[in-house]
Amino acid sequence: MAEFLKTLRSVCSNVSLLSRDYFGKENYVYNTNFYIPSPKPIQPDDQRYIIIVGSSSYPDPNRSNILTIAKSLRETSEELTLRYELVQLYLTESEAQESEASKIEAPIIDFLNLGYGIEHQEINSRNVVEYLLASSIMCASLPNRVASWFRNSTDNRLGYILRFDDVEFQWKSSMTDLWMYKRPRGLSLEERDEQPKDQNVIVRPDLAQPN
């Protein structure tokens, strides 16, 4: 389990490096209509949005340094897949049921597909922007949540885990459009205290990475 967490953090480190080098000096400002540290399950007829404001002249994902990092992301994601298969052997029946219900393998596959898609030039530049933003948001909470669950699965639940399929991306032309979507506050006092004063906008996706 320790090796799984180590590899997961390596994956998220690659996401951060990829974001830094891909975006460079470009700022894509985004907002969500969900609480990033602890997204909640989608309710019927609801939709989970990532709203983006930024240049429509997207950075080129086919630069050599980007392809190199994408390859590393693909390789570490493949390793993470194998690590998860080993972890499954040690889960209790209730933990296995919880991991399946949370679809913990979904973001692993998302990271793998992102790395592979960029490495093999199968994703267009607009989708690279979208998926990197989503991956950065996923990495902001996933390692800590999984670590807590490994330590004590009775008191710390996996709960809902964000994945690409549950997100709809919306591009807006004005910063004011971001404020049409208010991110809900966390339910607990701890979650509320964790939120920054400017809770709706994060500039540069790599800033969403854990320390």
Side-chain angles (χ1 to χ4, degrees):
M1 293 183 180
E3 290 300 319
F4 175 86
L5 285 172
K6 180 180 177 181
T7 307
L8 175 57
R9 292 190 174 103
S10 293
V11 167
C12 286
S13 177
N14 279 318
V15 169
S16 183
L17 288 173
L18 195 55
S19 296
R20 183 198 66 191
D21 285 17
Y22 177 71
F23 289 100
K25 296 181 180 179
E26 292 284 347
N27 277 341
Y28 285 83
V29 184
Y30 65 92
N31 186 14
T32 67
N33 68 338
F34 56 89
Y35 180 52
I36 288 178
S38 182
K40 304 303 178 186
I42 296 176
Q43 300 302 314
D45 301 323
D46 282 351
Q47 180 59 52
R48 200 177 301 283
Y49 294 110
I50 296 178
I51 308 95
I52 309 168
V53 174
S55 171
S56 59
S57 299
Y58 314 112
D60 179 11
N62 299 323
R63 289 167 284 163
S64 61
N65 61 321
I66 301 302
L67 298 178
T68 298
I69 303 172
K71 178 182 178 182
S72 181
L73 174 60
R74 189 260 302 164
E75 291 174 342
T76 51
S77 298
E78 288 176 344
E79 181 183 352
L80 187 61
T81 301
L82 297 176
R83 296 291 183 192
Y84 179 63
E85 291 175 357
L86 291 175
V87 165
Q88 288 179 299
L89 299 177
Y90 296 93
L91 297 179
T92 65
E93 183 177 350
S94 61
E95 288 171 341
Q97 291 174 348
E98 184 175 1
S99 66
E100 182 177 355
S102 295
K103 298 183 178 179
I104 191 175
E105 75 282 358
I108 299 174
I109 295 172
D110 287 340
F111 296 139
L112 175 58
N113 288 340
L114 176 61
Y116 182 93
I118 296 175
E119 179 188 4
H120 294 276
Q121 303 178 27
E122 295 181 359
I123 304 179
N124 65 48
S125 54
R126 175 173 171 141
N127 286 152
V128 172
V129 172
E130 295 171 341
Y131 294 150
L132 275 177
L133 290 174
S135 295
S136 297
I137 291 172
M138 289 153 64
C139 280
S141 61
L142 186 59
N144 288 338
R145 182 182 298 188
V146 174
S148 297
W149 185 65
F150 281 166
R151 284 195 301 270
N152 187 336
S153 62
T154 301
D155 295 336
N156 302 309
R157 315 301 293 183
L158 271 179
Y160 170 79
I161 294 177
L162 188 67
R163 43 197 173 269
F164 289 173
D165 285 346
D166 286 353
V167 173
E168 180 176 321
F169 300 96
Q170 292 194 348
W171 287 79
K172 300 295 182 179
S173 59
S174 169
M175 290 287 290
T176 57
D177 292 327
L178 293 177
W179 300 98
M180 295 173 60
Y181 298 86
K182 293 298 184 182
R183 184 186 307 163
R185 296 180 66 82
L187 299 179
S188 70
L189 291 176
E190 181 182 3
E191 288 175 331
R192 294 177 188 179
D193 289 342
E194 285 177 353
Q195 295 186 93
K197 186 175 294 184
D198 182 4
Q199 64 171 5
N200 291 284
V201 178
I202 302 173
V203 181
R204 287 288 301 280
D206 49 310
L207 298 183
Q209 297 299 309
N211 294 327

